[in-house]
Amino acid sequence: MRQNLLALAVFASLLPIGAAQGQPLVQSQEGIALENQILQLQSQVQQLQAGGGGNGGSVLGGNAAPPPPTSGGAAPGGGIVATLLNQVNDLQTQVQQLSGRVDTLQNQVDTQHAATEKEIGDLKFQMTNGATPGAPGVSGAPAGAPAAQTSAPPPAPAPAVSGSPETMLHDGLAAYARHDYAAAEAAAKAILSTAKGSPQAYRAQYLLGQSLSAEGKPQAAAIAYDNAYNLNRMGSWAPQSLYGLASSLADINQDQAACDTLSSLNSQFPTPPAGMKSKIDALSHRAHCS
C-alpha cells in the first residue's frame, strides 16, 4: 500500500510539469481530454494522501502507523490504488501514442516542404539553362503537333526606370494597375538590382511575380514568387506569394508541386487574407489536389 501510494505521489508531483501550467501535452482535442483525465487522477491521489493515514497523518509522511490489514490480508484501499495505477499507465500509453502521431505528421510536413524546395530548385536550374519543364504546348496547336517553324518576334526593350526606390515602386504599381505589365516588371527589376536592401525590395519582388504571371511567363513567375516568399516567410505578402507560386506551378503542369505548396499555405496561414479562400479552393481543384 505504501509503495503504491508512493508511486502515485511521485507521478502526481511530475504531472504539473506538463499539465498544470496551461500547456497541453498534445495540441489536440484528444490530448486535452487526456490532460483533464490526468488532472482528475492527480486530485484523487491528493485525496488519498490527505486521508490515507487514518488518524490525521499522511501515510506518505511516515508519522502515522499503517492501517491494520483486513481479514483477507490486503490493505484497505488497495483496489482503488491498483485501479488508479492502471489508469495512469493507460493514459501514459495514450499520450505516447499521440506524441508519436504528432511527430509523424511533422515529418510528413517537413518531407513535403523539402520536396517542394527541391522541385523549385530544379525549376530554377532548368530555367537558367533554357529548359521549360512541363510547359504547356503552343496555344491553338493540337497535342503532339510540331510547333510552327516561325521565329518569335524580338521582345520589346524594357522601359528605362530611374529614381528612388519609393518612386520606382510607385511607378511600378501604377503601371501594373493600368495593365502595363512590362513597365511594372522593369520597375520591380530596377529596385531589386539597385536597391535590394531597401524596404521596397520585398514588395518589388512580389510585384515582379505578379507582372511575370500577367505576361504569361509562369516559369519565371514561379521563381519570382518563391523568392518573394523566402525573403520573409511570415511577411504581409507571404500568403499571396505562396498562392502565386502554386498557381504558376499549376500553369506549367507541375500539379504535385502546386498541391504541396497549397498544403504549406493552408498549414502556415489557416486564415488567409480576405478573398483568398475561394481562389485557393479553385486552384486546388484545378491542380487535382486530393
Side-chain angles (χ1 to χ4, degrees):
M1 172 71 173
R2 182 187 299 268
Q3 291 177 346
N4 289 338
L5 284 174
L6 180 58
L8 280 170
V10 171
F11 181 76
S13 67
L14 293 176
L15 285 174
I17 296 176
Q21 296 177 353
Q23 300 290 333
L25 294 174
V26 179
Q27 298 293 334
S28 68
Q29 293 182 351
E30 192 173 354
I32 293 173
L34 283 175
E35 180 186 351
N36 292 335
Q37 293 182 47
I38 290 174
L39 290 175
Q40 292 175 0
L41 284 174
Q42 181 183 8
S43 176
Q44 295 178 36
V45 170
Q46 291 173 346
Q47 292 175 5
L48 285 174
Q49 287 178 295
N55 59 355
S58 170
V59 172
L60 296 176
N63 294 327
T70 62
S71 58
I80 297 176
V81 171
T83 300
L84 288 175
L85 284 173
N86 290 333
Q87 293 180 21
V88 167
N89 290 334
D90 291 342
L91 289 172
Q92 285 179 313
T93 300
Q94 294 180 51
V95 168
Q96 291 172 355
Q97 291 173 346
L98 284 174
S99 298
R101 287 164 54 187
V102 169
D103 292 340
T104 300
L105 290 174
Q106 184 61 52
N107 289 336
Q108 291 176 353
V109 171
D110 293 342
T111 301
Q112 276 189 347
H113 180 72
T116 303
E117 289 294 320
K118 182 181 183 303
E119 289 167 345
I120 295 299
D122 292 343
L123 179 62
K124 289 181 178 179
F125 175 79
Q126 292 167 349
M127 283 289 297
T128 303
N129 289 274
T132 55
V138 179
S139 176
Q149 299 298 319
T150 58
S151 57
V161 180
S162 62
S164 66
E166 294 89 345
T167 299
M168 289 189 288
L169 180 59
H170 177 272
D171 292 345
L173 293 173
Y176 184 84
R178 65 175 182 267
H179 307 295
D180 188 353
Y181 303 124
E185 175 189 352
K189 287 182 175 179
I191 295 172
L192 294 172
S193 63
T194 63
K196 192 172 183 179
S198 67
Q200 290 74 29
Y202 177 47
R203 182 64 181 90
Q205 183 65 62
Y206 179 67
L207 175 62
L208 178 58
Q210 289 180 295
S211 304
L212 292 169
S213 181
E215 291 179 273
K217 303 175 182 177
Q219 295 93 347
I223 295 173
Y225 282 127
D226 184 59
N227 289 337
Y229 170 67
N230 287 319
L231 277 177
N232 189 346
R233 297 190 174 191
M234 296 303 295
S236 56
W237 296 100
Q240 293 89 336
S241 297
L242 282 175
Y243 173 81
L245 171 58
S247 180
S248 299
L249 289 170
D251 287 341
I252 57 175
N253 297 331
Q254 300 293 319
D255 287 350
Q256 185 57 55
C259 292
D260 290 343
T261 303
L262 287 179
S263 178
S264 296
L265 170 59
N266 291 328
S267 62
Q268 294 180 49
F269 304 98
T271 306
M276 277 191 64
K277 183 64 170 64
S278 59
K279 294 180 180 179
I280 292 172
D281 293 341
L283 178 55
S284 178
H285 178 74
R286 177 162 67 94
H288 309 289
C289 303
S290 56

